[in-house]
């Protein structure tokens, strides 16, 4: 079954290599980039279904990559790696459409988030039909949490 | 003169509408009639027409008084409709049914059908245009110069074991609010401590809310009339327990989509919740509203360029975290980000997100789920919310004034306290009447006092005649004091079968600043 293509963007080379290895079963093909400029080039040339990107990078940060993507009407899911002190950037990213944020260095739930991101990026039309049921289900979970 | 707006008559009285239309024609204003009003139709009409004045005819047998009053309350809380003048038309048959609560529900004027309609039209158009529309001359008792304690119509919105909430047009700066609390008739206290005040309304169309402490007896003062026993309050709450859970909980909807209003009102009417609708709120207004109403659900139509943006949501959440025992579910519509993302960036777990704009079926489904799952479990007798048409909701914030002159049409008085425009005042002398403040001017360049003109309205012909005779009498025989005894003497001399209310506290303060 086709899973879609993933792009990993981070200026930490070792991290990118590690993630590529760890996540190779989740996607059909994993592209990597070490800065925003390189990421945009890949996004322009390849069919990418989901992006995992460090929010804080030199020269062009993850939010700027996202803004650029959205300005070209590309709505693919964008997952950010965040660290200490990136709240302002997170808020900015959320304005342009963030799929999720994962804290470095533990990346809790990374595989699950990427699987969902790829699924959405590959089948965007599914999003609107599944939303109502998922929304109510999510709502019921929130209400249940309130009772605790 | 032309009023660049439309006047609406909600009723079936052809003669009245003919007279209104004729008057409007003379001043080049459009008049519109709706013979009957289905739920939400008033909201829809307000959205579709630039309404400036709405006459609601309560003599129309098809009018559901409760529903109309609720819809007026709902509309008048929305800033863009606050300048609409609502006038209640009624006859003797409705006089007892229409209690004072209409004046704390958005109505600012009333009219007893059968009286002078042209004067009504002139008064109302004068209010909305600020122009003096009539030239009728009434017999005037001048230079009365007597002190009097008037009541500013205000709303008792809720009561709990330790405090109660008042909403009022009156912006009170002191820490003690002079108010009577008729639901506890044995409590004679006249001043109540304000523990919190907010410059936003909670549930009714008045811009100021006050949380006031109930003076609970500590035991040793149980004989005092200035305190109340805790048992008395809890018994009262238990006695009203069936009604306690209704409308005692709030939902906020923040959206610029006015098209939501008619159906949203319908949801508000049927729901256990009180739904507050705002197009936008300042940071202060939002904090006030949150701390006072503690909404269970907050719906926000997110904007990228307007005020209702993510920064504003972030501020809302920061405020939420400062309020004890407050954990609303926030539903963010029109969001480009997912719920997981927003929960993390805003550090708040109770966030639900949808990509589309808010619509009423969505709002309704969430409300229903909440009602079923959560709300009914929270029914308690710990607090009571007074519904729109509950006559017990009507209370009066007391204010001392100095009456300058009186006609059967208007009363002019001096006040050291600044009073809000279009506030409804309740007078008990020489008989019960309401008057709406229509004009204010400083006493002089150096004074902090103001002269006010308030138009008397809603009187039957019989009562008008009593007032007319009273005025004529005191023109030739000025009263020494505005006291119960002196006024009753005047009424007796007129051979009028009328008694001044004996249960009304009169406050004639000697050495008052108003005497200077």
């Amino acid at each position: 079954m086709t899973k879609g293509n993933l792009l990993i963007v981070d200026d930490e080379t070792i991290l990118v290599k590690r993630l590529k290895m760890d996540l190779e079963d989740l996607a059909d093909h994993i592209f990597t980039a070490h800065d925003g400029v390189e990421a945009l080039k890949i996004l322009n040339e390849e069919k990418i279904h989901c992006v995992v990107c460090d929010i804080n990078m030199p020269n062009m940060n993850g939010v700027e990559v996202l803004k650029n993507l959205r300005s070209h009407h590309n709505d693919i899911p964008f997952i950010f790696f965040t660290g200490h002190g990136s709240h302002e950037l997170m808020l900015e990213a959320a304005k342009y459409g963030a799929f999720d944020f994962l804290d470095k260095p533990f990346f809790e739930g990374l595989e699950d988030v990427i699987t969902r991101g790829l699924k959405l990026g590959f089948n965007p039309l599914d999003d609107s039909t599944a939303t109502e049921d998922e929304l109510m289900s999510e709502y019921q979970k929130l209400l249940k949490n309130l009772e605790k | 003169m032309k009023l660049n707006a439309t006047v609406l008559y909600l009723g079936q009285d052809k003669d009245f509408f003919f007279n209104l239309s004729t008057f409007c024609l003379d001043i080049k204003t459009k008049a519109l009639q709706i013979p009957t009003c289905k739920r939400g139709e008033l909201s829809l009409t307000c959205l579709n027409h630039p309404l400036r004045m709405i006459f609601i005819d309560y003599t129309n047998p098809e009018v559901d008084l409760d529903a109309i009053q609720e819809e007026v309350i709902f509309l008048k809380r929305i800033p863009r409709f606050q300048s609409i003048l609502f006038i209640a038309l009624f006859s003797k048959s409705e006089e007892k049914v229409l209690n004072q609560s209409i004046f704390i529900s958005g109505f600012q004027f009333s009219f007893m059908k059968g009286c002078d309609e042209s004067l009504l039209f002139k008064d109302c158009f004068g209010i909305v245009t600020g122009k003096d529309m009539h030239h009728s001359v009434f017999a005037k008792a001048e230079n009365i110069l007597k002190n009097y304690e008037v009541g500013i119509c205000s709303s008792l919105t809720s009561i709990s074991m330790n405090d109660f909430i008042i909403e009022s047009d009156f912006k009170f700066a002191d820490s003690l609010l002079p108010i009577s609390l008729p639901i506890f008739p044995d409590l004679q206290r006249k001043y109540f401590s304000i523990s919190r005040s907010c410059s936003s309304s909670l549930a009714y169309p008045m811009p100021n809310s006050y949380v006031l402490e109930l003076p609970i007896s500590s035991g040793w003062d149980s004989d005092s009339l200035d305190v109340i026993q805790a048992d008395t309050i809890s018994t009262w709450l238990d006695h009203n327990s069936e009604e306690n859970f209704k409308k005692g909980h709030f939902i906020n909807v923040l959206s610029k989509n006015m098209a939501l209003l008619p159906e949203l009102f319908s949801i508000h009417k049927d729901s256990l919740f009180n739904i507050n609708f705002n197009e936008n709120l300042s940071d202060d207004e939002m904090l006030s509203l949150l701390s006072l109403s503690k909404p269970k659900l907050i719906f926000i139509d997110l904007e990228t360029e307007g005020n209702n943006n993510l920064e504003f949501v972030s501020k809302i959440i920061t405020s939420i975290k400062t309020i004890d025992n407050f954990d609303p579910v926030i539903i963010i519509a029109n969001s480009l980000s997912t719920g997981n993302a927003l929960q993390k960036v805003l550090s708040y777990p109770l966030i639900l997100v949808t990509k589309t704009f808010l619509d009423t079926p969505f709002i309704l489904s969430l409300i229903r789920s909440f009602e079923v799952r959560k709300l009914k479990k929270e029914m308690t007798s710990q607090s009571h919310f007074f519904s729109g048409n509950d006559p017990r909701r009507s209370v009066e914030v007391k204010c001392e004034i100095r009456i300058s002159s009186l006609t059967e049409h208007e009363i002019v008085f001096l006040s050291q306290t600044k009073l809000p425009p279009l506030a409804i005042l309740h007078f008990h002398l020489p008989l019960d009447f309401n008057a709406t403040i229509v004009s204010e001017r400083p006493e002089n360049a150096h004074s902090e006092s103001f002269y006010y003109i308030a138009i008397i309205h809603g009187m039957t012909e019989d009562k008008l005649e009593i007032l007319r005779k009273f005025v004529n009498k005191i023109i030739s025989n000025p009263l020494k004091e505005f006291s119960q005894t002196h006024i009753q003497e005047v009424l007796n001399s007129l051979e009028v079968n009328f008694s001044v209310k004996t249960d009304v506290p009169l406050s004639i303060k000697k050495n008052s600043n108003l005497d200077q």
Side-chain angles (χ1 to χ4, degrees), chain A residues 87 90-91 94-101 116 127 135-136 138-140 142-144 146-147, chain B residues 297 310-311 327 329 336-338 340-342 344-345 349-350 352-353 355 362 366 369-370 373:
Chain A
H87 183 259
M90 286 170 72
L91 195 60
K95 291 180 192 175
Y96 293 91
F99 186 78
D100 211 330
F101 298 95
R116 287 190 288 110
D127 186 36
L135 206 57
M136 289 310 291
E138 215 178 308
Y139 180 59
Q140 294 297 337
L142 288 181
L143 294 185
K144 204 171 175 182
L146 269 177
E147 289 167 11
Chain B
L297 303 173
L310 270 181
E311 275 89 1
D327 45 13
V329 176
L336 296 174
S337 293
T338 63
N340 284 342
L342 290 189
K344 286 174 187 173
V345 74
L350 299 172
L352 192 69
V353 151
K355 281 186 177 175
F362 175 64
L366 262 58
S369 292
F370 197 97
R373 195 179 185 110

Side-chain angles (χ1 to χ4, degrees), chain B residues 251-312:
Chain B
I251 286 174
N252 273 32
V253 176
L254 209 57
S255 172
K256 287 204 164 65
N257 182 10
M258 301 301 286
L260 291 172
L261 274 186
E263 288 181 0
L264 204 57
F265 168 68
S266 192
I267 298 172
H268 166 84
K269 183 84 177 70
D270 292 336
S271 168
L272 295 174
F273 283 105
N274 230 311
I275 297 180
N276 285 335
F277 178 88
N278 296 93
E279 289 179 81
N280 54 55
L281 290 168
S282 69
D283 293 354
D284 286 343
E285 283 169 337
M286 194 63 189
L287 179 58
S288 292
L289 205 56
L290 288 178
S291 63
L292 205 54
S293 65
K294 290 193 179 180
K296 298 291 185 189
L297 303 173
I298 302 174
F299 292 85
I300 304 172
D301 247 338
L302 207 60
E303 297 167 6
T304 45
E305 292 180 8
N307 293 339
N308 302 338
N309 53 30
L310 270 181
E311 275 89 1
F312 182 66

